[in-house]
Amino acid sequence: MLDKLYARVLRHAASPHAPLWLAALAFAEASFFPLPPETLLVPMVLAQKDKAWRYAAICTVASVAGGLLGWLIGALLLDTLAKPIVHFYHAEHTLRSLQEKFRQWGVWIILFKGLTPIPYKFVTIASGMAHFAILPFMCASLVTRGARFALVAGLLRRFGPSIQDFLETRLPLVTGVFALALLGGFLALRYL
């Protein structure tokens, strides 16, 4: 089923309405949809490298808007919508763990987890379930999602198709290393 969905989404990359599809995918992925925005971002950037930053910006804005929907789902629709979404992905433990981490680390969880392989929808729903303040949530989401999509767009713009397979198979590794470097930079600024 996921392969058919992936193929269907990829067909939209060549459409004249591809930026709208990209925005819709980024929005939906941040709250309930299984495929990441990179599914469309990668082929679109490779097809038009001069629009890489525009596509990364579209992903960022739409993902943050979708994150707000995820937050609302977690805060207001816990039993009717949040729990079924989490159950669909068999991620009950992940969600409980994220809720506890929100209590301990707050905005740092959003900044770090927004770059990692953990689906962003779990971060947004857990933020709402924890009733994390909306403004810091939105600001942290803007930073972390913007960094993720800019990293992907920048690498594709610079290296082209030669890095496509690497990104598609190792995107969690790339963003995880980037997240660690970002965290290390913040820690260095604070303690050095």
Side-chain angles (χ1 to χ4, degrees):
M1 180 178 96
L2 215 51
D3 289 337
K4 287 180 183 178
L5 184 59
Y6 179 74
R8 187 172 177 194
V9 167
L10 274 181
R11 281 195 300 272
H12 294 300
S15 158
H17 303 292
L20 292 174
W21 286 110
L22 181 62
L25 179 58
F27 180 89
E29 185 274 337
S31 49
F32 63 89
F33 198 67
L35 295 179
E38 290 85 1
T39 306
L40 275 179
L41 180 62
V42 169
M44 288 173 65
V45 170
L46 289 176
Q48 295 182 310
K49 289 183 184 180
D50 58 314
K51 294 185 179 179
W53 305 124
R54 177 176 177 240
Y55 294 151
I58 289 169
C59 273
T60 300
V61 170
S63 183
V64 171
L68 180 58
L69 175 62
W71 189 97
L72 292 169
I73 289 169
L76 306 175
L77 303 170
L78 179 62
D79 291 325
T80 56
L81 203 50
K83 286 183 179 176
I85 290 171
V86 171
H87 181 70
F88 176 80
Y89 292 103
H90 307 289
E92 290 85 353
H93 175 72
T94 300
L95 193 63
R96 281 191 300 275
S97 173
L98 279 172
Q99 279 182 283
E100 182 57 37
K101 288 177 181 170
F102 272 111
R103 290 184 189 97
Q104 290 179 306
W105 299 98
V107 76
W108 292 103
I109 289 298
I110 299 165
L111 287 170
F112 187 70
K113 296 294 184 185
L115 290 168
T116 65
I118 291 176
Y120 189 57
K121 68 189 85 0
F122 301 142
V123 174
T124 66
I125 291 171
S127 296
M129 289 173 71
H131 294 281
F132 192 78
I134 291 179
L135 186 58
F137 167 75
M138 297 294 285
C139 291
S141 293
L142 189 63
V143 169
T144 194
R145 299 311 276 175
R148 179 182 174 118
F149 300 133
L151 176 67
V152 171
L155 288 171
L156 288 166
R157 189 168 194 259
R158 171 82 170 104
F159 298 106
S162 64
I163 200 164
Q164 180 180 3
D165 287 337
F166 178 79
L167 282 176
E168 287 178 351
T169 58
R170 294 190 174 80
L171 183 61
L173 174 66
V174 171
T175 56
V177 168
F178 184 73
L180 287 174
L182 190 65
L183 180 62
F186 284 127
L187 291 173
L189 285 174
R190 181 174 180 160
Y191 295 109
L192 295 179

